[in-house]
Structures are given as C-alpha cells and as structure tokens.
Amino acid sequence: LASKKVKLYFEPDGKRVEANAGEKILDVARIAGIFIESLCGGQGICGKCRVIVEKCAAGAPTEAELKHLSQKELEKKFRLACSCRVHGDCQILIPKESRGGRQRVVVEGVEAPFDLDPAISSLALKLSVPTLQRPMTDMDRVFEALIGNFGLRNVSIDYEVLKKLPDLLRTGGETVTAKIWRNSEIIDVRQGVEDGNYGLAVDIGTTKLGMQLVDLSSGKVLASVGMINPQVVFGEDIMTRASHVIERYETLEELRQAVLKGINELIDDCCRRAGVESSSILEATVVGNTVMHHIFLGICPKYLVMSPFVPAIKNPLNLKARQLGLKVSRSANVHILPVIAGFVGADAVADMLAVRLNRIEELSLLIDVGTNGEIMLGNKDRILAVSCAAGPAFEGAEIKYGMRATSGAIEKIAIEPETFEVSYRTVDNLDPRGICGSGLIDAVAEMFRTGIVDASGRIRDDLKTWRIRKGEEGAEFIVVPKRETKSGIDLSVTQKDIRELQLAKAAMYTGAYVLMKRMGVSAKDLDKVFIAGAFGTYIDKTKALMIGLFPDIALEKVSSVGNTALAGAKAALISKQARREAAEIAEKVDYVELTSDPDFPDEFIKAMALPHQELSRFASVKALLASTRIN
Amino acid sequence: LASKKVKLYFEPDGKRVEANAGEKILDVARIAGIFIESLCGGQGICGKCRVIVEKCAAGAPTEAELKHLSQKELEKKFRLACSCRVHGDCQILIPKESRGGRQRVVVEGVEAPFDLDPAISSLALKLSVPTLQRPMTDMDRVFEALIGNFGLRNVSIDYEVLKKLPDLLRTGGETVTAKIWRNSEIIDVRQGVEDGNYGLAVDIGTTKLGMQLVDLSSGKVLASVGMINPQVVFGEDIMTRASHVIERYETLEELRQAVLKGINELIDDCCRRAGVESSSILEATVVGNTVMHHIFLGICPKYLVMSPFVPAIKNPLNLKARQLGLKVSRSANVHILPVIAGFVGADAVADMLAVRLNRIEELSLLIDVGTNGEIMLGNKDRILAVSCAAGPAFEGAEIKYGMRATSGAIEKIAIEPETFEVSYRTVDNLDPRGICGSGLIDAVAEMFRTGIVDASGRIRDDLKTWRIRKGEEGAEFIVVPKRETKSGIDLSVTQKDIRELQLAKAAMYTGAYVLMKRMGVSAKDLDKVFIAGAFGTYIDKTKALMIGLFPDIALEKVSSVGNTALAGAKAALISKQARREAAEIAEKVDYVELTSDPDFPDEFIKAMALPHQELSRFASVKALLASTRIN
C-alpha cells in the first residue's frame, strides 16, 4: 500500500503532483515547490496551513486539526496540510490566507555615519614585457608594478585569480587593473583600466532576507531587495528550525541550501535591476541572528538552543564566496559580522553599528522587536545587551487571525471610544485577511484605551456591543465582521491573543528594565530610544507605549530607525572602520542572561499588566488614559 | 557507418571492448583502461605502441606505421595502436614490450641536513566549561587555553575545523589537541591528547611520481612509494603534454585529474602500508618541473613552452588540500615549492635543497639528467642554473629498441674488446626486451672504448664481427641476438640511436660548460659533481665520463645523490628552515638561457664528439682510452 501512487491537483496553482498514498499534503507541496503558509514547520501547532481538500480519500481529522479547525470549517472541507494524509487522488485548494504572498520587506534603515573606505581598491598597473633576457613571471610583473607605482609589498594572490593570470595578461594590452582586498590580496585582475567594484550587504532574518547592492566607488545603493527567508517552510522560528537539525542532522545542509538559494535569487535580482555582472561583486557583508549565522556557515545550531546557549564562534569571519556558495565572484571576500551570544547575533551588532551606539554620548535604549527581541542599553562608555524570548505574537503566530505583514494584513487599527466602531488599514489596501503584529499592538492598545480590556488584559463582558462575543476560545472582539471579509469569517482578537501579546510585550519591557537596573539608571535618564527592525517601522509608538512595550519616556525621544541590521551590514560593506567598530562592539558588549536575573520572575509578572502593574512607572500613559478613557 | 559498433578482444588482458568502427586502437584501449606503451601520446612518432592485430578489417598501414614497422613485422601483423583504425571485430595482442610493466621508481635520495622543525605542532588544551554566567563560545575556550597554556595569540581556525567544533568539544572529555599550522592557524582539533601528525612529500616527475609518508614527530619515513605518472598516456615529454593543452584547453583539466588520481592512489598505498589514516595527514610538500607544477595547480602551461618561457608564478604557495583535491585532511596545508624558470622548476630547487647547494663552501656542479636536464653550478656565494633540452634519448624514446627502465630493460652492458662479446644485465633479470637510458650510455661508451665507434660516433664498417651489420636504418650493432630474446628479434644499437645519444649528452655537457664559463671557472676548479635524479642512480659514472656527459674531473669527486627532488621535498616537509632556504634559492639562483649564449652553437657541435672534439678537455678519458683501446 505504501507504494500506491495518488495524484494531487493543487489549485489555484494548477499543478498536478504524484505522491505516495499516505503522504502529508504539506510534504508533497514542499517537494513540488508549492507554497503553503506554515509557521511551525508542519508540527500541527500554528494552524496556518489550512487547505480545502475536495474529492479525496483523506484520513480522519487529527487532533491538531480538531484543535485548529471549527466544526463549520471541517464541514467546508478545511484541513491542515501538515496533518492531512492523502489516500487517493484529490483536488487541493489553497485559500488566499494560506498562500503567503509577497511579504513586505523593509530594507531601508538609517544611514550609518561612516565615510566611504571599502576593503577593495582598484589599482591600474602598467606591466613590463617579459623577454628572454628578463623572463619575469606573470606574478612578478604584477608585483613589480604594485611596488613601483603604489609601494605595495607583501601582497598575495587568490588561487582562482592566479589560474587565469597567464591568458589574461596576454590577450589584452599592457595595462591591467588589480582588485586588491585590504591592500593584502589580489582578488581579481581585469584587462585595461576598470574601476567598477560592487558589494553586497546581506541581512539574513529568521523570516525575511534583505539585500542591498552597493557601488563601492561611491557608496551608492544600486538596488534594494527582499524576500521571505525560504527556511520558513521548515518552521517560523529559530527554535523550530534548530530542533529539526537536532532530530536529523542532514536538515542543517537543507536549511543552508534553502537560505543560500534565496540569497542567490536576490543576487540575480539585484544584478538585473542594476545592470551589474555578478562576477563584479567582489565583497559581501552578512548579518543575521546567531542561529541564522550558524546555519548559513553550516555550523550546527544545536548548542545555541541548549543551556548555556553558546555559539561556536563570536569573531568576525572572512571567507571566500566559493566556500559559501554565494553567486558572486568566486574570489570575493564575504565578511560575516561578529555575534555576541546565542541569542544576540550579528544582526544586533549591525543594529548598534547603524546608530553607532558605541560612539554616541547619549544614553540610549535600542530595541529590536521580534520573536527573539534584542535590547541594548548604553553609549560610548558601556553597552549591555539582553535577549527577550517574546514569542511569535509579533509575527502573527499563535494568534487566531494572526499573519505576517503581507497583503491584506490589518496593520493599523483605531477604535471609536463611544461606539466601538473600528477603522483599519491593510497592507496594500487589500481585503482584510488577518492581523499582523503592528495591527495587534494597535488593536490591544485601542481596546485598552477605550476600556474594552482592562489593565489585567481581560476583555470586559459588560459592554453593550455586538463586537464583543463569546467565541470558541472565550471572549473575543470582532475587528472586521464577516460581511467585510472575503473569507466570510469574522476577524477577531481573542482573549487568548491578548494574553499572547501581553507575554510578548512583558518580555520586551522586562529586558529593558533589567538592563536599566544593571546600569543603575531609570527611564528618565534615557536620552534616546531607538526602535529597530523592519517590524519596528510599522509600530505606532504611541500605541506601543500605551501597552507598555518599552519604558515610559517622552515620545519625541523615541525614533524608528528601520532595518538597522541591513544598514549596519551596509556600513561594514563600505567602511573598514565600521568593521573594526563591529568587532569592538562584539568585544565590548556585556551580555546579560535575562532569565537568570533574580528580579526577572516578579518583574515579568508585573509587566504583564497594561501598561504595567506599577502605573507610576508609566506616568504619561496614566495621563493619556485619564484624558481619553471614558468607559 | 560511423555508428557501426565493433568488438575488440584485447589479449593477454582478456578484455572485450565495444568501439565505434573507425576508432583507433590506442584510443579504445585508453578509455577501457588497458595500458599500451606510448611515449609520444599517440602522435605516431615514437613507434612504441606496437600491437599484433588478428582477424580484423583494419585500415591500410599509415605512413607512421610504414616508418616504424619493417616489412617483416607488417607481415607478422604488427601495427601501431595509435595509427591503426578498426573497421570490424578483431583480436588485439599486446606484446610484452608494449605492456610497460612496473617501472622502477627510485624514491630514495640523500638525507638533506635539516633539523626536525615541522610547520605543524600538536597542543593539548584543557578547556574550561561554559556556564550561563560565563557563556564562552567554543572558539573562545580554545583561544583561552592557547593563550593561557602556550601564550599563543592571534590564531585563526580553518573553516572546515570550525564547522565540526561544536560537536567535537561536547562528545569527548575536557581535553582536546589542537593541530596548529605555523603557530597561526588551527587546522585540526582532536579529542584527548593526540600527538600523531603525518606529512607527505610528493615529487611529480614527468615520467614518475614519487612519494614519502613521514611521521612529523620523528621525521621518520614510514612509507616510500612510486609509480609511472599517469599523464604519460598523453605523451612522454612535457612539450607533447603542453601542446595537447594548447590544442584543446580542456586537456589541462584531464591532465590535472590524471596526475591527481595517481597521487591519490599513492596516498592510499602509503596509508595502507604505514597503517595511518589519510585524515591524519596534515601537511604536504610538492615539487615538480615547472610544467608539472603548473598542470598540478590547474594553470595553463602554454606560455612555459613559448618564448620567452615564463611561468605564471615563481613564489612558493600554500594551498588547502581541498582546493587541490588531495585525499588527505581537507584542512591540510599543501606547500608547493617555488620554481625558478620555465625549464628550471621546483624539482631543481629541491635538488639544490637536498645537497644544500646554497650553504656549502665547495664549488659544486649539480646535474639532473633527463629529457629536460637541469644543471646548477655554485655554492653559498652564487648559483647559476641552466636547462638543457637533452631530448628523450635518456628515457629510451626515439631509440629503436629503447624503453623505460622497466622489467627486461638492458641497464648494464660490457663489451669484450677483442671478441666483441657482450655481457649485459636487465632490470629484474628478466628476458631482455629493450635498452633503457643507462644501458644505452653503457653501450655507446663500451662501443667507443672498444673501437666499434670512432670519436665522431660513427660505427666502423671494417671490423670483422657478425654483431655489426647493415640494417634498415644504416649500420647497427647487435647487443642481443634474436636467439636470446623472446620476441625473436635482434636487439641492436643503431647509428641513429648513437646520434640521438650524442645530441643528448652534448646538450648536458654544453650546459655545464656555459655555466662554468659564466662563473669564470674550469673543470679543475670543481670540488664536487652531484648526479641527481632517479636516472642518475643507475648511470655508471666511468661510462658517463667516457662519452663526455659531464666535464672531466676526478671520479671520486662525482657522486650519485639519488632522487634529490623527493629528498628536498621531504626536507621542506619536516623543516620550516628548509622552506625558507627553498624560497631563498629560488630568489638567489641566476637562470641562464642556454641557447642565447653566443658560444652555444659552436660548443654544442664540439661536444657531439666522443668524449669531446677537444680531447685536451678530457685528459683522464684520453689516458683511459690509451690503456684499454686496442683496435
């Protein structure tokens, strides 16, 4: 029976795929390259891989399906692709909400303040001609010109460049251009005078890949591109991906190949847009959290997620593009920025580099909001860093109608305090399909402001509005009624969703609190708060303060700095000084293990309240509530 | 017709091979892995690939076959495998003389005087244990121990080693052994205390590969092995191989793969004999002439054989074994010794290193006899080097019954002056099949001593002996009559063979002469003559002097130093000082372009005579002849 073949017809892709009877739909789809949203990597946890299975001898609903699908949905033939096994030919409809779509990827960040000073230089060399009397080797003629014209000694040559040297020196004129890396290694030789050098800044996010192609002679960005990290099919968060590797070691290489494929597609994309040959890309910088960093390098991430959570290496690395499989010049140097700890990675180093936390006078709090949030506190004198396991709420996972910030995600919400009428905005202004992280913060802040939830986060059951009702998972607030949604389902924020957000924001706040305590400062001492990360760009800072995501300080001190991970990677790409400072940062930062702080449990519980159990810590929110709350 | 299939039965291999009608036998045999001797790489020049073709619709004899095969041989169905095309099924008998056999490969040389001081050291490290309070990375724990126990800072780690570090540090005890290359890079980490480090010295000769496996903690040789360079099927000499690459660039990679396969087989062989894991081999040194050097590195050798004959690079190189494809530890360093010029390679550098020409007081002449002979003259003050295109006579090519020094080759000859009776010795004491280089030198020296040839090299036609006769190519001297050979053919030295040897020895002598002239010295000023190379080991130095192969000096000053190329490679393997000296040698040696010396044409012609036209330069030979010559 195991060898019986069945045919699956995927709609709207229109793809026909042969599978073995008994296989799971998600596995079949993955192999066939058909995208079905899955946040948990097929573990039956997230309930996002909903598909409609028609004309099929499918197995009975599993426990996971019974948990995630209502009776009505089951009647409509909804199934979870991760759980449903096919035993006969069938047609599978992937509804819009399970199709992902092109996620908005923010690649812009602040411009980091570094002067143009890249690792690559172009030196035009006029070579002498070898004769029988003076039979100089190809290499010696190049060395002679480097010393004679530029005083450059002790330069080596990349092996791949050496191999092409004999023909190259004889098929052009007497002038060649050597591309020199850090004045120490020839990494390319071109005929004639040729100044064009290009570089790539790469940010490997857990969910998103961001990339910029940069002209290294001007520092100008020629193309900015982004995409979903193809690893998401293995699981939305780093813990899930690492656990796959722990179960089956070969997954490490599959994960590495997945992200590499994505990066190489982005390289193609950049090169097409800018009209640049990929072989002219001679340098790249890469940042990412420590798990992404390890997987990209092919280092097992197992010990990053097991106590005491130590990386294999912190130090910055320089590797050849060919060692990593990047489709740029094979001799290009890839500079991987240093990491700080198992949960504070090269992306956090890049964040700090982008705002130059290591050089500024002002005491600053730098917050990168995410599933694994990182918080840094300090200035030129001292920097502390902490990692906060906020959980997946900010990315829309574990949230009933949560989704990533793709087309149709509700990202802004306002609630009219008297009528509870809701106005909202979606990504790309498409019909609402779900609620993304910034939308959820807005929703809960507005529900709190308008008294729909109380300070403990409980949805009040005494308000007279059709929007509040008892759902399958307890009380819920209907944000968009089914008449306004294409799926014909009410989009709501449930009591459970609010609890998830409370956990997430409490983790972030507690992280900041513990750092301030260790530093011996309080919120009033903070000169600046930077909210970093693509996600941070969309957060309404007033609403975020309202729920107590970060300490209460004057909002004019709070600024969104965008994708600082990529901005930091770009800074390291165009400036050797930035690389030195990144290494300094990694050395300098004191990593604080949040959960081992004695105050953590109490502080965490107090931070669960909206905005906080000690309202005195949030004087400005208290004032705001007093002025607007009417219920 | 081109697609018609025919079947070939090779004897005595007993292999049946299918081929396309019209293919050449040699091409079919190569693809099927059947060895047929070929010195010219199938160009119809050497006439060595003789086979007997039975029951076959073969094409008519080609011009090359008519040149190399006598009418009698053609009647016996002898053909040249490189020229004969098959048009129907047939049986092909490969006679013994065309089957090669295991060539004697000398791998022993003088022991070069260097103290044990290898590039690799083993450092046992007791690592601290990471905790939540002190979550040190794997790498930092290793660095900590390196600094704490050995004061070793600024050490990097090979990327392949880094990847295995996390599991390695957690599956053993707290002590690991780091293998450090030149105190600067960790190239392996092993569990526990593990001192065993092994290294390989490799000599890539045009004809032969030699290898030694060395215990780097004692300097002891654990295995010495050798084989024919598998590239010989592409042609016996470097010019032929280079010309193949010039015609078709892809041949470069084929040649590289051929030699790599041979080297990797020798590595297997060494490891089996010594009971060493190939992954424990952490260092290798490689020498070879400049064409072998370039091909091994994948660098096109085209410009080495075109004026002004310049290499791509002279400098020593350090590459990772994985970059080259050597089957040792992937992280092992492969040190490729420097070359001097297009025709004076890393083998010559190793020759000099082995006798430490760069350090000795005595004025010495170092001669490496071969198709491309190299001659070095000098001492600690100055060294001159020259390359002599001796031609293939010393290797048995272009000689009617010439062969390499494999089983059955006549290597020693003595002629009784009155009766002209010949006594001889063959390699492995097998039935005589042909004459190798040292045998030819013996034969011509003895023929000259006994008056069978005169000083001009002409075979005298007035002597009364059945051994001298008029053959198809003019006069010839029968060394072994057909009754004593299995093939039933008289083995003779022809007038043409003698001319080939005269050309070869004249080239060698002229090289030495020009160097002495440039240095302003004469034969009496020479303190030592070293005869290097495997071939040199078998040369009878009295006979070699008799024909004037090298300048006339007292024979007690002449010594055979064996395979100094491999001895030099081994010196560089066990001693960093030797590597420094090798680089010094490559810088210090003045290369002399022989053919552009104004005296070259005249001197070359004078050196054609036996031993030399100016007999006053060979006083000791003159005396010897006076005492023994009776005819």
Side-chain angles (χ1 to χ4, degrees), chain A residues 122-309:
Chain A
S122 293
L123 302 181
L125 307 174
K126 187 159 183 313
L127 303 181
S128 63
V129 176
T131 61
L132 271 177
Q133 284 66 44
R134 199 163 167 277
M136 284 185 87
T137 67
D138 299 343
M139 206 54 250
D140 283 340
R141 289 193 289 143
V142 172
F143 288 147
E144 180 189 49
L146 282 174
I147 295 168
N149 300 338
F150 300 97
L152 215 52
R153 287 169 197 279
N154 300 321
V155 175
S156 66
I157 186 166
D158 180 82
Y159 176 45
E160 304 270 334
V161 182
L162 173 62
K163 284 196 273 191
K164 69 176 190 175
L165 206 53
D167 275 322
L168 194 127
L169 296 195
R170 284 169 186 82
T171 50
E174 285 164 26
T175 299
V176 297
T177 302
K179 309 291 187 175
I180 320 264
W181 184 72
R182 300 198 73 115
N183 279 351
S184 67
E185 187 189 24
I186 299 168
I187 62 164
D188 202 2
V189 176
R190 303 253 170 167
Q191 288 173 348
V193 177
E194 208 258 46
D195 284 333
N197 298 330
Y198 302 95
L200 281 185
V202 183
D203 169 29
I204 305 177
T206 308
T207 310
K208 286 155 279 183
L209 305 179
M211 180 181 291
Q212 291 187 323
L213 174 65
V214 179
D215 180 342
L216 294 180
S217 25
S218 65
K220 209 182 132 195
V221 175
L222 303 180
S224 292
V225 294
M227 71 185 289
I228 301 288
N229 185 338
Q231 288 179 348
V232 295
V233 300
F234 291 86
E236 181 75 2
D237 60 275
I238 54 176
M239 301 304 281
T240 311
R241 292 185 212 164
S243 69
H244 279 308
V245 178
I246 293 169
E247 275 168 33
R248 201 173 65 88
Y249 192 82
E250 294 70 31
T251 315
L252 172 57
E253 183 57 19
E254 292 166 19
L255 283 163
R256 200 181 74 79
Q257 288 296 340
V259 71
L260 191 61
K261 186 164 172 282
I263 293 172
N264 283 335
E265 279 170 21
L266 288 182
I267 293 173
D268 277 351
D269 195 4
C270 274
C271 288
R272 246 194 325 269
R273 288 177 192 217
V276 164
E277 289 283 331
S278 63
S279 60
S280 299
I281 299 175
L282 296 175
E283 184 86 355
T285 51
V286 178
V287 303
N289 64 54
T290 310
V291 170
M292 290 300 104
H293 168 275
H294 275 43
I295 291 175
F296 177 67
L297 289 169
I299 301 173
C300 180
K302 179 174 173 180
Y303 305 104
L304 295 176
V305 297
M306 291 167 63
S307 179
F309 314 108

Side-chain angles (χ1 to χ4, degrees), chain B residues 126-420:
Chain B
K126 188 159 184 313
L127 303 181
S128 62
V129 175
T131 62
L132 270 178
Q133 285 65 45
R134 199 165 167 275
M136 283 184 88
T137 67
D138 300 342
M139 206 54 249
D140 283 341
R141 291 193 289 141
V142 172
F143 288 147
E144 179 188 49
L146 281 174
I147 295 168
N149 299 339
F150 300 98
L152 215 51
R153 287 170 196 279
N154 299 320
V155 175
S156 65
I157 186 166
D158 181 82
Y159 176 46
E160 304 271 334
V161 182
L162 173 62
K163 284 197 274 191
K164 69 176 190 174
L165 206 54
D167 275 321
L168 194 128
L169 296 195
R170 284 169 187 82
T171 50
E174 286 165 25
T175 298
V176 297
T177 302
K179 310 291 187 176
I180 320 263
W181 184 73
R182 299 198 74 117
N183 280 350
S184 67
E185 187 189 24
I186 299 168
I187 62 163
D188 203 3
V189 176
R190 302 254 170 166
Q191 287 172 350
V193 177
E194 208 256 49
D195 285 333
N197 298 330
Y198 302 95
L200 281 185
V202 183
D203 169 30
I204 306 177
T206 309
T207 310
K208 287 155 277 184
L209 305 178
M211 181 182 289
Q212 290 187 324
L213 175 65
V214 179
D215 181 342
L216 294 179
S217 26
S218 66
K220 210 183 130 194
V221 175
L222 303 179
S224 293
V225 295
M227 70 186 289
I228 300 288
N229 185 337
Q231 288 179 347
V232 295
V233 299
F234 291 85
E236 182 74 2
D237 60 276
I238 53 176
M239 301 303 282
T240 311
R241 291 185 212 164
S243 69
H244 280 308
V245 178
I246 293 170
E247 274 168 32
R248 201 173 65 89
Y249 192 80
E250 294 71 29
T251 315
L252 172 57
E253 183 56 20
E254 292 166 20
L255 283 164
R256 199 182 74 81
Q257 288 296 340
V259 70
L260 191 61
K261 187 164 173 281
I263 292 171
N264 283 335
E265 280 171 20
L266 288 182
I267 293 173
D268 277 351
D269 194 6
C270 275
C271 289
R272 246 194 325 270
R273 289 177 193 219
V276 164
E277 289 284 331
S278 63
S279 60
S280 299
I281 299 175
L282 296 175
E283 184 86 356
T285 51
V286 178
V287 303
N289 64 54
T290 310
V291 170
M292 291 300 102
H293 168 276
H294 275 43
I295 291 174
F296 177 66
L297 289 169
I299 302 173
C300 180
K302 179 173 172 180
Y303 306 104
L304 295 175
V305 298
M306 291 166 63
S307 180
F309 314 108
V310 295
I313 190 165
K314 285 180 66 165
N315 310 46
L317 288 167
N318 289 304
L319 294 167
K320 291 287 178 187
R322 58 179 177 260
Q323 292 183 282
L324 294 165
L326 283 196
K327 284 196 181 155
V328 296
S329 162
R330 284 175 57 78
S331 306
N333 180 66
V334 181
H335 180 84
I336 292 117
L337 274 77
V339 305
I340 292 171
F343 291 107
V344 182
D347 50 353
V349 171
D351 288 342
M352 290 182 260
L353 197 60
V355 301
R356 229 162 169 186
L357 196 63
N358 57 317
R359 285 290 189 271
I360 58 179
E361 298 276 344
E362 299 96 329
L363 184 65
S364 307
L365 190 68
L366 172 56
I367 302 176
D368 198 334
V369 184
T371 306
N372 285 89
E374 293 105 20
I375 302 180
M376 284 70 76
L377 172 66
N379 59 10
K380 66 182 178 49
D381 301 319
R382 188 183 177 200
I383 301 175
L384 299 179
V386 78
S387 160
C388 315
F394 293 132
E395 300 282 356
E398 302 287 323
I399 300 300
K400 184 160 190 186
Y401 294 102
M403 64 183 287
R404 292 195 301 248
T406 54
S407 302
I410 297 169
E411 52 169 347
K412 289 270 176 208
I413 290 174
I415 301 177
E416 210 287 315
E418 293 190 43
T419 62
F420 304 123

